[in-house]
Amino acid sequence: MAMDASEETLRRAMADKQAAVDAQGKAVRDLKVSGAAKAEVDAAVEALNALKLEKSSIENQLQAAITGGAGGLSRDAFRQAVVNTLERRLFYIPSFKIYRGVAGLYDYGPPGCAVKANVLAFWRQHFVLEENMLEVDCPCVTPEVVLKASGHVDKFTDLMVKDEKTGTCYRADHLLKDFCKEKLGKDLSMHAEKAAELKNILAVLDDLSAEELGAKIKEYGIVAPDTKNSLSDPYPFNLMFQTSIGPSGLIPGYMRPETAQGIFVNFKDLYYFNGNKLPFAAAQIGQAFRNEISPRQGLLRVREFTLAEIEHFVDPEDKSHPKFGDIAHLEFLMFPRKEQTSGQSAKRMRIGDAVSEGIVNNQTLGYFIGRVYLFLTQLGIDKERLRFRQHLANEMAHYAADCWDAEIECSYGWIECVGIADRSAYDLRAHSEKSGVPLIAHEKFSEPREVEKLVIAPVKKELGLAFKGSQKNVVEALEVMDEKEAMEMKSTLESKGEVEFHVCTLGKVVTIKKNMVTISKEKKKEYQRVFTPSVVEPSFGIGRIIYCLFEHSFYTRPSKAGDEQLNVFRFPPLVAPIKCTVFPLVQNQQYEEVAKRISTSLTVAGISHKIDITGTSIGKRYARTDELGVPLAITVDSTSSVTIRERDSKDQIRASIEDVASVVKEVTDGSSTWPDVLWRFPAHSHVSTDE
């Protein structure tokens, strides 16, 4: 990861200015030692002070560039303001708070639940309904055999280190990341080259092996943050919560780390339900569980969370999409592999161009990238702080065709919130092999076709003699070879008599000899094509999206008196926890009766709302609802008409009691905008009633 040009320039300027200060300081000392004239010494001191002022100015600019604090709050201060407001207004709070809580577990309060429900309702509308997907709901408890087949039992790990005296556990990459970020943020005199080295470590952190991570921790002298004790070498820790199914304890299981496996194991029934036709997509919303080593960053890294996942099954030979033209014109920030490896920044691209130029692997993957962009921006995510980053070659699983992450920038930096991956046929093949049930699709031909078929015939007797208990693993690995790999093996066996072959289920390379397998091609008539479908998987971390939405929606503005800053969430009506509030201007029985009539009409129209009949000033009541992100406030100040105030502009209109519900509904469901309403209804002066 390259440093921002401004930060690199400022670090170099800082180093140059420090050198100039040091040189001038030495010159002042030399003049004093040599007994130079007072005027000459004073001039040299004045020059030194000027250089120190210039250095201080560069320090401030550099600090702003690092923390994002130019022209306002630093990132940390902004985050604290957001989190304080969210917890105080009960959007979310730490779980089991009266027992001092448990790291990585949070409860959503009433407004948080409402925002989450609205986000999920829009997700269903945008994807499940509009794309005609098949929705399923599978158990959270999953038998071990399922997650063994998917690879989670063996490979779903993070690297952990322990305090060698207390035994406290830490995630190894987090300690290295914290060290690099702290040095970059606090050591303003660091040379640009050293800063670039630390930035590079942050960029390749996910790719470091246990040995490389351990070496860096030792090189930088990183110790346990709480005790300053030395740390163990990193070792893998499986992130799944283990359990047993049934009272005997004989059926091992896990709390699912993702929802996708439930869809894969049901593929055969879903394919039949869909009339044995491809493509089709299945979707699931549900809880997932990961036993994070050291959870932090609030809702961004938790131990129980909501995922919304789509598995779009498609013919691997035809990944075009009939609706790709609908989104091909969309232009947004993309961060292809080439730009990342060459130290460039993300750039604006049309998704149609990205697919046609081969940057995005295929139309189906490109279509979902476009649809994800529309989903996030319509929720209220700032399109200037949203980018799609392509996985580097060393980040991708060996079976994946292409992977992109929708990353949203918040006070923690760029956060992966949606993964969109072309996983090829890996998942269905893995479950087919483990279960013995073929998870396949068929394409019937109108006329029979003569085709050359690859035939791989392992000689089980010879393989058994050579590999004994591992024979089954080797046989399965040989049988699932693709044509290219099989023909290369055939050629090598014919020329050399043996070949090195990697068996992924054993995790090692074995030697295959000529007498152990026969590989040939035979001509056959086929009446249908049988194949394992590929899958394109968009996977949404709902909690992460919601937290980024909170930050993107939050701002402050001065009160009318100018003596305090008022917090506001500018949620789009689509996701606002409450669509409007109803305030009688004063405590008056007639006004309260009108408020109840309006409440009834809003309920009939299906609009969430709240009546506030407290005796506090109308300005304070507006401020309270602005802090919840309520888009509209209805003030009852007569028995025939009311005012409707819009949260962000604070503009007000006057409408009859009979029109209130319809006006609120058309604004909150998106059929009209507030400017449309302003044009149709008389404006109301809010000099005396607003903040």
Side-chain angles (χ1 to χ4, degrees):
M1 181 189 295
M3 269 194 295
D4 291 343
S6 58
E7 184 184 337
E8 184 174 359
T9 302
L10 288 167
R11 283 197 183 275
R12 292 190 186 281
M14 184 72 181
D16 292 343
K17 197 59 68 179
Q18 183 64 56
V21 168
D22 293 343
Q24 187 63 23
K26 184 176 182 301
V28 170
R29 288 192 297 274
D30 289 346
L31 286 171
K32 287 180 178 178
V33 169
S34 66
K38 184 176 183 301
E40 190 177 355
V41 173
D42 289 348
V45 169
E46 190 177 338
L48 177 60
N49 290 336
L51 285 170
K52 285 181 176 178
L53 277 173
E54 290 169 13
K55 179 193 161 197
S56 177
S57 173
I58 295 171
E59 275 182 347
N60 292 337
Q61 292 175 60
L62 180 55
Q63 190 68 59
I66 293 167
T67 63
L73 292 174
S74 71
R75 286 186 175 192
D76 289 347
F78 173 77
R79 181 194 310 134
Q80 200 56 56
V82 175
V83 170
N84 287 347
T85 306
L86 291 170
E87 291 194 6
R88 180 167 48 79
R89 298 312 305 265
L90 220 59
F91 280 86
Y92 72 88
I93 52 172
S95 300
F96 318 114
K97 196 173 172 183
I98 63 171
Y99 292 101
R100 299 187 180 179
V102 178
L105 297 175
Y106 290 90
D107 297 335
Y108 286 91
C113 276
V115 170
K116 183 179 177 183
N118 292 337
V119 168
L120 291 176
F122 181 54
W123 190 88
R124 276 197 173 94
Q125 171 67 41
H126 189 79
F127 291 107
V128 179
L129 296 180
E130 291 186 26
E131 305 295 341
N132 199 24
M133 294 176 178
L134 311 179
E135 187 171 1
V136 298
D137 188 358
C138 307
C140 294
V141 178
T142 306
E144 182 182 56
V145 65
V146 174
L147 295 164
K148 186 79 175 169
S150 68
H152 284 86
V153 171
D154 298 321
K155 296 178 181 175
F156 196 65
T157 59
D158 277 337
L159 292 170
M160 181 166 78
V161 290
K162 274 188 179 179
D163 182 315
E164 292 192 324
K165 290 185 179 176
T166 67
T168 304
C169 299
Y170 303 95
R171 191 165 145 179
D173 61 332
H174 282 178
L175 292 182
L176 183 54
K177 181 193 287 186
D178 289 347
F179 171 83
C180 293
K181 285 191 169 181
E182 186 174 359
K183 291 290 283 183
L184 287 165
K186 292 186 177 177
D187 189 354
L188 302 182
S189 61
M190 184 191 300
H191 287 287
E193 292 73 18
K194 183 66 176 177
E197 176 193 324
L198 296 181
K199 289 259 184 177
N200 183 60
I201 288 171
L202 291 172
V204 300
L205 203 53
D206 291 341
D207 302 326
L208 296 180
S209 65
E211 293 74 21
E212 291 168 329
L213 205 49
K216 287 293 178 191
I217 286 172
K218 283 178 181 170
E219 179 186 340
Y220 294 130
I222 297 171
V223 293
D226 301 320
T227 63
K228 309 305 177 191
N229 294 330
S230 56
L231 297 164
S232 70
D233 290 331
Y235 61 95
F237 170 76
N238 194 291
L239 297 176
M240 291 192 293
F241 285 99
Q242 191 164 13
T243 185
S244 57
I245 303 170
S248 68
L250 298 177
I251 306 173
Y254 295 90
M255 303 302 288
R256 64 184 179 190
E258 62 181 26
T259 66
Q261 301 308 318
I263 296 175
F264 295 136
V265 300
N266 284 314
F267 171 79
K268 186 176 179 181
D269 293 323
L270 292 167
Y271 181 57
Y272 174 77
F273 182 85
N274 200 54
N276 295 327
K277 290 180 181 176
L278 285 181
F280 76 88
Q284 181 170 194
I285 296 170
Q287 296 302 97
F289 306 82
R290 297 181 186 179
N291 194 11
E292 295 284 352
I293 296 165
S294 49
R296 56 201 189 152
Q297 298 183 339
L299 295 181
L300 298 183
R301 190 168 295 281
V302 291
R303 288 176 164 141
E304 180 180 348
F305 50 94
T306 303
L307 283 178
E309 295 190 298
I310 296 164
E311 309 300 331
H312 181 93
F313 299 101
V314 64
D315 186 336
E317 294 182 6
D318 180 14
K319 293 182 180 177
S320 62
H321 197 288
K323 292 166 68 178
F324 181 71
D326 295 349
I327 57 91
H329 66 283
L330 292 175
E331 184 177 282
F332 41 78
L333 279 174
M334 299 191 75
F335 203 7
R337 198 173 293 138
K338 181 182 173 186
E339 277 64 26
Q340 294 175 61
T341 53
S342 60
Q344 299 177 53
S345 301
K347 60 181 182 180
R348 299 192 72 81
M349 290 186 73
R350 288 176 67 253
I351 187 63
D353 295 337
V355 171
S356 63
E357 293 170 20
I359 296 169
V360 172
N361 186 269
N362 57 76
Q363 280 193 6
T364 296
L365 186 63
Y367 178 73
F368 278 107
I369 290 173
R371 291 289 290 163
V372 168
Y373 170 78
L374 291 173
F375 170 74
L376 293 174
T377 52
Q378 287 173 37
L379 276 184
I381 296 299
D382 180 357
K383 63 184 179 181
E384 298 303 325
R385 289 189 280 168
L386 167 64
R387 72 182 185 190
F388 290 83
R389 187 186 71 83
Q390 187 175 29
H391 282 205
L392 300 174
N394 56 10
E395 287 182 88
M396 290 207 304
H398 65 277
Y399 52 78
D402 195 8
C403 301
W404 293 76
D405 288 338
E407 295 184 332
I408 303 172
E409 188 182 27
C410 69
S411 63
Y412 290 104
W414 287 97
I415 301 297
E416 171 202 341
C417 293
V418 187
I420 310 135
D422 183 335
R423 297 174 59 86
S424 298
Y426 171 80
D427 301 283
L428 294 183
R429 281 188 180 138
H431 287 299
S432 293
E433 290 165 21
K434 193 74 175 175
S435 67
V437 177
L439 302 176
I440 52 176
H442 307 265
E443 180 195 3
K444 290 186 177 178
F445 301 142
S446 53
E447 296 289 334
R449 298 178 186 177
E450 191 174 82
V451 294
E452 265 196 337
K453 290 290 287 182
L454 176 69
V455 179
I456 300 171
V459 181
K460 293 184 180 179
K461 180 182 175 184
E462 298 294 335
L463 291 167
L465 289 170
F467 301 109
K468 298 183 172 56
S470 301
Q471 179 216 42
K472 185 172 180 247
N473 301 74
V474 179
V475 168
E476 289 174 348
L478 288 168
E479 288 177 339
V480 298
M481 285 191 295
D482 60 28
E483 185 171 326
K484 182 184 176 188
E485 187 181 8
M487 297 314 290
E488 285 174 357
M489 177 179 281
K490 176 180 168 70
S491 173
T492 306
L493 287 173
E494 288 173 353
S495 62
K496 296 182 179 177
E498 63 181 42
V499 65
E500 298 291 293
F501 179 58
H502 182 259
V503 181
C504 61
T505 53
L506 293 177
K508 65 179 182 179
V509 173
V510 301
T511 302
I512 301 294
K513 296 186 176 177
K514 194 172 182 179
N515 63 341
M516 295 179 181
V517 65
T518 303
I519 301 169
S520 60
K521 283 190 172 182
E522 296 178 4
K523 286 192 175 180
K524 289 184 177 180
K525 275 195 173 180
E526 281 195 345
Y527 296 87
Q528 66 175 2
R529 173 173 153 252
V530 179
F531 60 94
T532 305
S534 286
V535 64
V536 173
E537 177 192 73
S539 176
F540 299 74
I542 298 301
R544 289 185 168 199
I545 292 170
I546 288 172
Y547 179 77
C548 291
L549 175 63
F550 287 153
E551 281 207 9
H552 286 204
S553 302
F554 183 81
Y555 68 99
T556 60
R557 62 186 176 200
S559 62
K560 185 180 178 185
D563 56 350
E564 61 177 322
Q565 288 292 312
L566 303 175
N567 301 323
V568 185
F569 283 106
R570 60 162 78 86
F571 297 129
L574 178 73
V575 295
I578 303 167
K579 305 308 179 191
C580 70
T581 46
V582 185
F583 303 145
L585 182 61
V586 292
Q587 288 182 311
N588 171 302
Q589 189 174 352
Q590 283 185 308
Y591 287 0
E592 287 177 16
E593 288 299 322
V594 171
K596 287 175 184 175
R597 279 174 53 202
I598 292 171
S599 175
T600 301
S601 66
L602 291 169
T603 301
V604 169
I607 299 164
S608 60
H609 63 282
K610 182 180 178 182
I611 296 182
D612 186 344
I613 56 172
T614 58
T616 54
S617 72
I618 195 71
K620 285 184 178 176
R621 282 184 276 175
Y622 282 149
R624 278 206 300 257
T625 58
D626 290 346
E627 201 171 47
L628 284 173
V630 182
L632 298 173
I634 299 160
T635 302
V636 179
D637 56 0
S638 84
T639 55
S640 58
S641 67
V642 297
T643 66
I644 304 176
R645 169 194 181 265
E646 195 271 336
R647 176 194 62 219
D648 297 311
S649 65
K650 298 193 282 187
D651 289 335
Q652 297 186 30
I653 60 162
R654 181 159 288 283
S656 69
I657 292 167
E658 291 73 23
D659 287 334
V660 169
S662 61
V663 170
V664 173
K665 186 165 181 61
E666 65 186 67
V667 171
T668 55
D669 70 12
S671 57
S672 289
T673 64
W674 180 249
D676 293 336
V677 172
L678 274 177
W679 183 75
R680 284 168 32 214
F681 289 86
H684 174 78
S685 170
H686 53 80
V687 171
S688 61
T689 59
D690 212 334
E691 297 93 349

